[in-house]
CSV table of all heavy atoms in Angstrom, one decimal:
chain,number,residue,atom,x,y,z
B,43,LEU,N,0.9,23.9,3.6
B,43,LEU,CA,0.0,22.8,4.3
B,43,LEU,C,0.4,21.5,3.7
B,43,LEU,O,0.5,20.5,4.5
B,43,LEU,CB,-1.4,23.1,4.0
B,43,LEU,CG,-2.4,22.2,4.7
B,43,LEU,CD1,-2.3,22.3,6.2
B,43,LEU,CD2,-3.9,22.6,4.3
B,44,GLY,N,0.6,21.4,2.4
B,44,GLY,CA,1.0,20.1,1.8
B,44,GLY,C,2.3,19.6,2.4
B,44,GLY,O,2.4,18.4,2.7
B,45,LEU,N,3.3,20.4,2.5
B,45,LEU,CA,4.6,20.0,3.0
B,45,LEU,C,4.4,19.6,4.5
B,45,LEU,O,5.1,18.6,4.9
B,45,LEU,CB,5.6,21.1,2.8
B,45,LEU,CG,7.0,20.6,3.0
B,45,LEU,CD1,7.4,19.6,2.0
B,45,LEU,CD2,8.0,21.8,3.0
B,46,ALA,N,3.6,20.3,5.2
B,46,ALA,CA,3.4,20.0,6.6
B,46,ALA,C,2.8,18.5,6.7
B,46,ALA,O,3.1,17.7,7.6
B,46,ALA,CB,2.4,21.0,7.3
B,47,SER,N,1.9,18.2,5.8
B,47,SER,CA,1.3,16.9,5.7
B,47,SER,C,2.3,15.8,5.4
B,47,SER,O,2.4,14.8,6.0
B,47,SER,CB,0.2,16.8,4.7
B,47,SER,OG,-1.0,17.2,5.2
B,48,LEU,N,3.2,16.2,4.4
B,48,LEU,CA,4.3,15.2,4.1
B,48,LEU,C,5.2,15.0,5.2
B,48,LEU,O,5.7,13.9,5.4
B,48,LEU,CB,5.0,15.7,2.8
B,48,LEU,CG,4.3,15.5,1.5
B,48,LEU,CD1,5.0,16.2,0.4
B,48,LEU,CD2,4.0,14.1,1.2
B,49,LEU,N,5.5,16.1,6.0
B,49,LEU,CA,6.3,15.9,7.2
B,49,LEU,C,5.7,15.1,8.3
B,49,LEU,O,6.3,14.3,8.9
B,49,LEU,CB,6.7,17.3,7.7
B,49,LEU,CG,7.9,17.9,6.9
B,49,LEU,CD1,7.9,19.4,7.0
B,49,LEU,CD2,9.2,17.4,7.4
B,50,ALA,N,4.3,15.2,8.4
B,50,ALA,CA,3.6,14.4,9.3
B,50,ALA,C,3.7,12.9,8.9
B,50,ALA,O,3.8,12.0,9.7
B,50,ALA,CB,2.1,14.8,9.4
B,51,ALA,N,3.6,12.7,7.5
B,51,ALA,CA,3.8,11.3,7.0
B,51,ALA,C,5.2,10.8,7.4
B,51,ALA,O,5.3,9.6,7.8
B,51,ALA,CB,3.6,11.3,5.5
B,52,PHE,N,6.2,11.7,7.3
B,52,PHE,CA,7.6,11.2,7.6
B,52,PHE,C,7.7,10.9,9.1
B,52,PHE,O,8.3,9.9,9.5
B,52,PHE,CB,8.6,12.3,7.2
B,52,PHE,CG,10.0,11.9,7.3
B,52,PHE,CD1,10.6,11.2,6.3
B,52,PHE,CD2,10.7,12.1,8.5
B,52,PHE,CE1,11.9,10.7,6.4
B,52,PHE,CE2,12.1,11.7,8.6
B,52,PHE,CZ,12.6,11.0,7.6
B,53,VAL,N,7.0,11.7,10.0
B,53,VAL,CA,7.1,11.4,11.4
B,53,VAL,C,6.4,10.1,11.7
B,53,VAL,O,6.9,9.3,12.5
B,53,VAL,CB,6.4,12.6,12.2
B,53,VAL,CG1,6.1,12.2,13.6
B,53,VAL,CG2,7.2,13.8,12.1
B,54,ALA,N,5.2,9.8,11.0
B,54,ALA,CA,4.5,8.6,11.2
B,54,ALA,C,5.4,7.4,10.7
B,54,ALA,O,5.4,6.3,11.4
B,54,ALA,CB,3.2,8.6,10.5
B,55,TYR,N,6.1,7.7,9.6
B,55,TYR,CA,7.0,6.6,9.1
B,55,TYR,C,8.2,6.4,10.1
B,55,TYR,O,8.5,5.2,10.4
B,55,TYR,CB,7.5,7.0,7.8
B,55,TYR,CG,8.7,6.2,7.3
B,55,TYR,CD1,8.5,4.9,6.8
B,55,TYR,CD2,10.0,6.7,7.4
B,55,TYR,CE1,9.6,4.2,6.4
B,55,TYR,CE2,11.1,6.0,7.0
B,55,TYR,CZ,10.9,4.7,6.5
B,55,TYR,OH,11.9,3.9,6.1
B,56,ALA,N,8.7,7.5,10.6
B,56,ALA,CA,9.9,7.3,11.5
B,56,ALA,C,9.5,6.6,12.8
B,56,ALA,O,10.3,5.9,13.4
B,56,ALA,CB,10.5,8.7,11.8
B,57,ALA,N,8.2,6.8,13.2
B,57,ALA,CA,7.7,6.2,14.5
B,57,ALA,C,7.7,4.7,14.3
B,57,ALA,O,7.8,3.9,15.3
B,57,ALA,CB,6.4,6.7,14.8
B,58,GLY,N,7.6,4.2,13.1
B,58,GLY,CA,7.5,2.7,12.8
B,58,GLY,C,8.9,2.1,12.7
B,58,GLY,O,9.0,0.9,12.6
B,59,THR,N,10.0,2.9,12.6
B,59,THR,CA,11.3,2.4,12.4
B,59,THR,C,12.0,2.2,13.7
B,59,THR,O,11.5,2.6,14.8
B,59,THR,CB,12.2,3.3,11.5
B,59,THR,OG1,12.3,4.6,12.1
B,59,THR,CG2,11.6,3.5,10.1
B,60,GLU,N,13.2,1.6,13.7
B,60,GLU,CA,13.9,1.3,14.9
B,60,GLU,C,14.4,2.6,15.7
B,60,GLU,O,14.3,2.7,16.9
B,60,GLU,CB,15.1,0.5,14.6
B,60,GLU,CG,14.8,-1.0,14.5
B,60,GLU,CD,16.1,-1.8,14.1
B,60,GLU,OE1,17.2,-1.3,14.4
B,60,GLU,OE2,16.0,-2.9,13.5
B,61,SER,N,14.8,3.6,14.9
B,61,SER,CA,15.4,4.8,15.6
B,61,SER,C,14.3,5.7,16.2
B,61,SER,O,14.6,6.4,17.1
B,61,SER,CB,16.2,5.6,14.6
B,61,SER,OG,15.6,5.6,13.3
Side-chain angles (χ1 to χ4, degrees):
Chain B
L43 185 61
L45 194 64
S47 270
L48 284 175
L49 280 155
F52 189 84
V53 169
Y55 165 77
T59 60
E60 278 178 21
S61 38

